[in-house]
PDB file of all heavy atoms in Angstrom:
ATOM      1  N   ALA F 314      99.955  98.946 108.765  1.00 98.00           N
ATOM      2  CA  ALA F 314      99.175 100.201 108.680  1.00 98.00           C
ATOM      3  C   ALA F 314      98.376 100.158 107.406  1.00 98.00           C
ATOM      4  O   ALA F 314      98.854  99.985 106.319  1.00 98.00           O
ATOM      5  CB  ALA F 314     100.124 101.362 108.684  1.00 98.00           C
ATOM      6  N   ASN F 316      95.997 102.130 104.934  1.00 98.00           N
ATOM      7  CA  ASN F 316      95.502 103.509 104.493  1.00 98.00           C
ATOM      8  C   ASN F 316      94.332 103.270 103.503  1.00 98.00           C
ATOM      9  O   ASN F 316      94.541 102.893 102.391  1.00 98.00           O
ATOM     10  CB  ASN F 316      96.682 104.225 103.799  1.00 98.00           C
ATOM     11  CG  ASN F 316      96.309 105.542 103.242  1.00 98.00           C
ATOM     12  OD1 ASN F 316      95.233 106.107 103.499  1.00 98.00           O
ATOM     13  ND2 ASN F 316      97.241 106.072 102.415  1.00 98.00           N
ATOM     14  N   LYS F 318      92.550 105.607 102.268  1.00 98.00           N
ATOM     15  CA  LYS F 318      92.395 106.773 101.369  1.00 98.00           C
ATOM     16  C   LYS F 318      90.879 107.173 101.336  1.00 98.00           C
ATOM     17  O   LYS F 318      90.228 107.164 102.394  1.00 98.00           O
ATOM     18  CB  LYS F 318      92.944 106.386  99.958  1.00 98.00           C
ATOM     19  CG  LYS F 318      94.326 105.853 100.042  1.00 98.00           C
ATOM     20  CD  LYS F 318      95.073 105.788  98.702  1.00 98.00           C
ATOM     21  CE  LYS F 318      96.447 105.214  99.002  1.00 98.00           C
ATOM     22  NZ  LYS F 318      97.286 105.207  97.826  1.00 98.00           N
ATOM     23  N   LEU F 394      98.701 110.065 109.532  1.00 98.00           N
ATOM     24  CA  LEU F 394      99.574 110.165 108.442  1.00 98.00           C
ATOM     25  C   LEU F 394      99.995 111.647 108.328  1.00 98.00           C
ATOM     26  O   LEU F 394      99.196 112.542 108.532  1.00 98.00           O
ATOM     27  CB  LEU F 394      99.015 109.612 107.142  1.00 98.00           C
ATOM     28  CG  LEU F 394      98.546 108.165 107.094  1.00 98.00           C
ATOM     29  CD1 LEU F 394      97.937 107.924 105.716  1.00 98.00           C
ATOM     30  CD2 LEU F 394      99.731 107.223 107.359  1.00 98.00           C
ATOM     31  N   HIS F 397     101.466 112.470 103.234  1.00 98.00           N
ATOM     32  CA  HIS F 397     101.342 111.381 102.277  1.00 98.00           C
ATOM     33  C   HIS F 397     101.567 111.934 100.895  1.00 98.00           C
ATOM     34  O   HIS F 397     101.187 113.086 100.636  1.00 98.00           O
ATOM     35  CB  HIS F 397     100.025 110.637 102.407  1.00 98.00           C
ATOM     36  CG  HIS F 397      99.898 109.489 101.544  1.00 98.00           C
ATOM     37  ND1 HIS F 397      99.534 109.575 100.184  1.00 98.00           N
ATOM     38  CD2 HIS F 397     100.067 108.190 101.737  1.00 98.00           C
ATOM     39  CE1 HIS F 397      99.507 108.381  99.639  1.00 98.00           C
ATOM     40  NE2 HIS F 397      99.821 107.462 100.568  1.00 98.00           N
ATOM     41  N   SER F 398     102.092 111.208  99.943  1.00 97.00           N
ATOM     42  CA  SER F 398     102.395 111.750  98.614  1.00 97.00           C
ATOM     43  C   SER F 398     101.104 112.311  97.878  1.00 97.00           C
ATOM     44  O   SER F 398     101.231 113.232  97.114  1.00 97.00           O
ATOM     45  CB  SER F 398     103.091 110.733  97.761  1.00 97.00           C
ATOM     46  OG  SER F 398     102.077 109.794  97.246  1.00 97.00           O
ATOM     47  N   GLU F 399      99.963 111.702  98.195  1.00 98.00           N
ATOM     48  CA  GLU F 399      98.766 112.278  97.663  1.00 98.00           C
ATOM     49  C   GLU F 399      98.418 113.681  98.277  1.00 98.00           C
ATOM     50  O   GLU F 399      97.848 114.550  97.636  1.00 98.00           O
ATOM     51  CB  GLU F 399      97.683 111.343  97.772  1.00 98.00           C
ATOM     52  CG  GLU F 399      97.804 110.185  96.699  1.00 98.00           C
ATOM     53  CD  GLU F 399      97.390 108.850  97.223  1.00 98.00           C
ATOM     54  OE1 GLU F 399      96.580 108.739  98.152  1.00 98.00           O
ATOM     55  OE2 GLU F 399      97.940 107.799  96.720  1.00 98.00           O
ATOM     56  N   CYS F 428     105.408 110.348 105.819  1.00 98.00           N
ATOM     57  CA  CYS F 428     105.611 109.714 104.487  1.00 98.00           C
ATOM     58  C   CYS F 428     106.636 110.492 103.679  1.00 98.00           C
ATOM     59  O   CYS F 428     106.464 111.657 103.435  1.00 98.00           O
ATOM     60  CB  CYS F 428     104.263 109.547 103.868  1.00 98.00           C
ATOM     61  SG  CYS F 428     103.018 108.752 104.683  1.00 98.00           S
ATOM     62  N   GLU F 469     107.753 105.648 100.932  1.00 98.00           N
ATOM     63  CA  GLU F 469     106.743 105.303  99.950  1.00 98.00           C
ATOM     64  C   GLU F 469     107.189 105.972  98.634  1.00 98.00           C
ATOM     65  O   GLU F 469     106.727 107.090  98.361  1.00 98.00           O
ATOM     66  CB  GLU F 469     105.328 105.893 100.340  1.00 98.00           C
ATOM     67  CG  GLU F 469     104.805 105.160 101.522  1.00 98.00           C
ATOM     68  CD  GLU F 469     103.257 105.116 101.448  1.00 98.00           C
ATOM     69  OE1 GLU F 469     102.691 106.164 101.310  1.00 98.00           O
ATOM     70  OE2 GLU F 469     102.718 104.065 101.648  1.00 98.00           O
ATOM     71  N   ALA F 473     105.929 103.865  92.997  1.00 97.00           N
ATOM     72  CA  ALA F 473     105.454 102.570  93.372  1.00 97.00           C
ATOM     73  C   ALA F 473     103.948 102.572  93.800  1.00 97.00           C
ATOM     74  O   ALA F 473     103.288 101.653  93.632  1.00 97.00           O
ATOM     75  CB  ALA F 473     106.270 101.972  94.432  1.00 97.00           C
ATOM     76  N   ILE F 474     103.579 103.693  94.414  1.00 96.00           N
ATOM     77  CA  ILE F 474     102.245 103.773  95.005  1.00 96.00           C
ATOM     78  C   ILE F 474     101.182 103.630  93.915  1.00 96.00           C
ATOM     79  O   ILE F 474     101.144 104.331  92.869  1.00 96.00           O
ATOM     80  CB  ILE F 474     101.971 105.181  95.677  1.00 96.00           C
ATOM     81  CG1 ILE F 474     102.990 105.323  96.958  1.00 96.00           C
ATOM     82  CG2 ILE F 474     100.524 105.316  96.157  1.00 96.00           C
ATOM     83  CD1 ILE F 474     102.917 106.750  97.591  1.00 96.00           C
ATOM     84  N   GLY F 475     100.339 102.665  94.167  1.00 94.00           N
ATOM     85  CA  GLY F 475      99.189 102.504  93.205  1.00 94.00           C
ATOM     86  C   GLY F 475      99.585 101.963  91.804  1.00 94.00           C
ATOM     87  O   GLY F 475      98.702 101.871  90.957  1.00 94.00           O
ATOM     88  N   SER F 476     100.826 101.637  91.607  1.00 95.00           N
ATOM     89  CA  SER F 476     101.239 101.265  90.314  1.00 95.00           C
ATOM     90  C   SER F 476     101.157  99.760  89.974  1.00 95.00           C
ATOM     91  O   SER F 476     101.206  99.319  88.838  1.00 95.00           O
ATOM     92  CB  SER F 476     102.801 101.692  90.103  1.00 95.00           C
ATOM     93  OG  SER F 476     103.590 100.840  90.875  1.00 95.00           O
ATOM     94  N   GLY F 477     101.007  98.959  91.090  1.00 94.00           N
ATOM     95  CA  GLY F 477     101.051  97.588  90.966  1.00 94.00           C
ATOM     96  C   GLY F 477     102.422  96.946  91.026  1.00 94.00           C
ATOM     97  O   GLY F 477     102.528  95.775  91.101  1.00 94.00           O
ATOM     98  N   GLY F 513     105.953 101.355 101.969  1.00 98.00           N
ATOM     99  CA  GLY F 513     104.622 101.330 101.317  1.00 98.00           C
ATOM    100  C   GLY F 513     104.790 101.659  99.918  1.00 98.00           C
ATOM    101  O   GLY F 513     105.617 102.303  99.388  1.00 98.00           O
ATOM    102  N   GLY F 514     103.800 101.083  99.162  1.00 98.00           N
ATOM    103  CA  GLY F 514     103.668 101.257  97.653  1.00 98.00           C
ATOM    104  C   GLY F 514     103.500  99.970  96.986  1.00 98.00           C
ATOM    105  O   GLY F 514     104.462  99.109  96.829  1.00 98.00           O
ATOM    106  N   SER F 515     102.217  99.663  96.659  1.00 97.00           N
ATOM    107  CA  SER F 515     101.832  98.446  95.909  1.00 97.00           C
ATOM    108  C   SER F 515     102.262  97.139  96.615  1.00 97.00           C
ATOM    109  O   SER F 515     102.551  96.180  95.935  1.00 97.00           O
ATOM    110  CB  SER F 515     102.471  98.476  94.517  1.00 97.00           C
ATOM    111  OG  SER F 515     101.760  99.527  93.714  1.00 97.00           O
ATOM    112  N   THR F 516     102.209  97.158  97.970  1.00 98.00           N
ATOM    113  CA  THR F 516     102.474  95.935  98.691  1.00 98.00           C
ATOM    114  C   THR F 516     101.308  95.008  98.558  1.00 98.00           C
ATOM    115  O   THR F 516     100.138  95.416  98.319  1.00 98.00           O
ATOM    116  CB  THR F 516     102.778  96.160 100.165  1.00 98.00           C
ATOM    117  OG1 THR F 516     101.720  96.934 100.666  1.00 98.00           O
ATOM    118  CG2 THR F 516     104.051  96.894 100.308  1.00 98.00           C
ATOM    119  N   SER F 517     101.421  93.691  98.683  1.00 97.00           N
ATOM    120  CA  SER F 517     100.413  92.741  98.565  1.00 97.00           C
ATOM    121  C   SER F 517     100.739  91.553  99.477  1.00 97.00           C
ATOM    122  O   SER F 517     101.919  91.420  99.809  1.00 97.00           O
ATOM    123  CB  SER F 517     100.240  92.317  97.083  1.00 97.00           C
ATOM    124  OG  SER F 517     101.447  91.621  96.774  1.00 97.00           O
ATOM    125  N   LEU F 534     103.001 100.009 105.150  1.00 98.00           N
ATOM    126  CA  LEU F 534     101.915 100.888 104.954  1.00 98.00           C
ATOM    127  C   LEU F 534     101.191 100.489 103.617  1.00 98.00           C
ATOM    128  O   LEU F 534     101.682 100.560 102.539  1.00 98.00           O
ATOM    129  CB  LEU F 534     102.352 102.374 104.837  1.00 98.00           C
ATOM    130  CG  LEU F 534     101.277 103.418 104.746  1.00 98.00           C
ATOM    131  CD1 LEU F 534     100.184 103.404 105.671  1.00 98.00           C
ATOM    132  CD2 LEU F 534     102.007 104.845 104.724  1.00 98.00           C
ATOM    133  N   VAL F 535      99.966 100.037 103.814  1.00 98.00           N
ATOM    134  CA  VAL F 535      99.247  99.297 102.733  1.00 98.00           C
ATOM    135  C   VAL F 535      98.007 100.076 102.320  1.00 98.00           C
ATOM    136  O   VAL F 535      97.172 100.382 103.125  1.00 98.00           O
ATOM    137  CB  VAL F 535      98.825  97.879 103.167  1.00 98.00           C
ATOM    138  CG1 VAL F 535      98.240  97.095 102.068  1.00 98.00           C
ATOM    139  CG2 VAL F 535      99.983  97.150 103.800  1.00 98.00           C
ATOM    140  N   GLY F 536      97.996 100.376 101.036  1.00 98.00           N
ATOM    141  CA  GLY F 536      96.747 100.964 100.495  1.00 98.00           C
ATOM    142  C   GLY F 536      95.782 100.076  99.965  1.00 98.00           C
ATOM    143  O   GLY F 536      95.005  99.411 100.772  1.00 98.00           O
ATOM    144  N   SER F 537      95.783  99.812  98.623  1.00 97.00           N
ATOM    145  CA  SER F 537      94.613  99.011  98.026  1.00 97.00           C
ATOM    146  C   SER F 537      94.526  97.630  98.600  1.00 97.00           C
ATOM    147  O   SER F 537      93.395  97.076  98.673  1.00 97.00           O
ATOM    148  CB  SER F 537      94.821  98.932  96.492  1.00 97.00           C
ATOM    149  OG  SER F 537      96.061  98.456  96.109  1.00 97.00           O
ATOM    150  N   ALA F 538      95.647  97.026  98.987  1.00 98.00           N
ATOM    151  CA  ALA F 538      95.536  95.647  99.470  1.00 98.00           C
ATOM    152  C   ALA F 538      94.926  95.541 100.807  1.00 98.00           C
ATOM    153  O   ALA F 538      94.669  94.464 101.369  1.00 98.00           O
ATOM    154  CB  ALA F 538      96.890  94.957  99.476  1.00 98.00           C
ATOM    155  N   SER F 539      94.680  96.678 101.492  1.00 98.00           N
ATOM    156  CA  SER F 539      94.047  96.720 102.757  1.00 98.00           C
ATOM    157  C   SER F 539      92.527  96.837 102.713  1.00 98.00           C
ATOM    158  O   SER F 539      91.788  96.657 103.704  1.00 98.00           O
ATOM    159  CB  SER F 539      94.617  97.811 103.676  1.00 98.00           C
ATOM    160  OG  SER F 539      94.129  99.091 103.307  1.00 98.00           O
TER     161      SER F 539
HETATM  162  P1  PGA E1355      99.117 101.271  97.657  1.00 91.67           P
HETATM  163  O1  PGA E1355      99.110 102.627  98.457  1.00 91.67           O
HETATM  164  O2  PGA E1355      99.358 100.172  98.533  1.00 91.67           O
HETATM  165  O3  PGA E1355      97.747 101.195  97.047  1.00 91.67           O
HETATM  166  O4  PGA E1355     100.188 101.452  96.514  1.00 91.67           O
HETATM  167  C1  PGA E1355     100.034 102.775  99.504  1.00 91.67           C
HETATM  168  C2  PGA E1355      99.840 104.221 100.065  1.00 91.67           C
HETATM  169  O5  PGA E1355      99.652 105.139  99.279  1.00 91.67           O
HETATM  170  O6  PGA E1355     100.023 104.448 101.278  1.00 91.67           O
END
Side-chain angles (χ1 to χ4, degrees):
N316 174 14
K318 309 193 179 187
L394 300 180
H397 185 278
S398 77
E399 286 144 22
C428 303
E469 293 212 308
I474 296 174
S476 70
S515 293
T516 53
S517 65
L534 177 53
V535 185
S537 58
S539 74

